[in-house]
Amino acid sequence: MDKREETPDLSDSTKKKIFDAAHEVFTKKGMDGAKMQEIADLAGINKALLHYYYKKKEKLYETVAKAVIGKAVPVIRQMFEGDQPLEEKIRRFIDFYIGLISHNTFIPLFIISEINKHPDRFFETIFPQEMPRPEVFFRQVKEEAAAGRIRPINPKHLIVNIISLCVFPFVGKPMMRLVLGMSSGETLIFMEERKVEVTSFVLAALRP
Amino acid sequence: MDKREETPDLSDSTKKKIFDAAHEVFTKKGMDGAKMQEIADLAGINKALLHYYYKKKEKLYETVAKAVIGKAVPVIRQMFEGDQPLEEKIRRFIDFYIGLISHNTFIPLFIISEINKHPDRFFETIFPQEMPRPEVFFRQVKEEAAAGRIRPINPKHLIVNIISLCVFPFVGKPMMRLVLGMSSGETLIFMEERKVEVTSFVLAALRP
DNA sequence: GTCTATAACTCGATAGAC
DNA sequence: GTCTATCGAGTTATAGAC
């Protein structure tokens, strides 16, 4: 009785199933490595339907890529443009960013690979939005240093350090497991620990 | 007069030219993105010759991949198994590793991407060698902490932190340039600075 | 060993029935 | 909307002349 209207846009329409499958395959294998057949199989539909809904492979790819990028930008914006005190900002960024990535493990690698291979496509069609501006963050770092509350540090390097510490272990997870000889279970625990570890490492490095 | 013998293996035989071209193309574009035609063009020879020397694309790929991995392992081994004092070890590792990567920018991304896409192939055929064991390094970290010479820290996280700080900025360079709004020239300087910055960041974080 | 020509195959895309 | 069948472009791989 209550099932009359057809969901006008979202939910699990065929289009959504295709998008989800494409998301999984593209983030794992990139534009070149992904095959339309594999996406169709994963979505449980026929290859021809992909084209019915998304015309071309590249169009489907762009749709996925935009959605992926859209998730990461607000977190960076928060750190750059927010008005919390510096330490608070750093704590929140690390916590939030590691949390985001651990639920979307392949995303950073996806973004990075595609920027490297097709910088033009990336910047023109996939990422046309305004980047967060880091000036506020820069100023905060300088002020804290001037007041003697942190060790003086080049703020650009600080940002890069924080992002590196959060992102790289996910990007390089298999390599890391190899180097440290960790089982799958140990790796999970290890990644959980990193929120705390990275926070204390960064704050320790900033002590005056 | 002194040119009688034919170089039995190396130097710039056709095989070497193919290998060099393949190295460049594969590290930039990965297994899927690389095309045999492009490799042939870059080597200045015919496409058919690739198959004469290396039978299959995958074989050529494996040859390149093994060579690439082979460069990174000794540096890690040095840090893990060498017998210098801890601080000395860390300083040398950072200096050496950033140096290595800045002359082979595409390599980390290449390794990481391929592990993610084809973990089986990677671990079975490309990387069959013995990994450096980190036990010596672990012990050193614990001893220094026990002696109060550094802040106590989980040695696994320390390793991952150091590697992240060295490698990620290269892997994520285009993203970083975007976020920080740096020109090509600024980026070059920035990367040069990192040897010093990373070293002081890590040592600062380790102060008791 | 190196080339030209072409076979064999993979994969994105389309036509057309239901 | 969804499927089956097939085309056609782009690539890997091979045959065979030189």
Side-chain angles (χ1 to χ4, degrees), chain A residues 157 161 174 193-194 207, chain B residues 115 157 161 171 193-194 207:
Chain A
H157 283 284
N161 290 349
E193 292 169 355
R194 281 198 69 78
R207 286 169 299 167
Chain B
I115 299 184
H157 284 284
N161 290 350
V171 171
E193 293 169 354
R194 281 198 70 76
R207 286 170 299 166

Side-chain angles (χ1 to χ4, degrees), chain B residues 35-36 47 51 57:
Chain B
K35 302 292 170 242
M36 296 296 262
K47 213 174 40 158
H51 291 94
K57 182 187 184 184

Side-chain angles (χ1 to χ4, degrees), chain A residues 69-86:
Chain A
I69 309 290
K71 279 193 163 181
V73 173
V75 188
I76 293 185
R77 171 159 284 128
Q78 169 76 5
M79 170 146 108
F80 280 5
E81 301 174 352
D83 53 4
Q84 306 92 338
L86 184 65

Side-chain angles (χ1 to χ4, degrees), chain B residues 153-172:
Chain B
I153 184 171
N154 178 329
K156 286 189 185 180
H157 284 284
L158 177 57
I159 288 178
V160 171
N161 290 350
I162 293 173
I163 295 180
S164 299
L165 291 167
C166 291
V167 178
F168 186 75
F170 291 98
V171 171

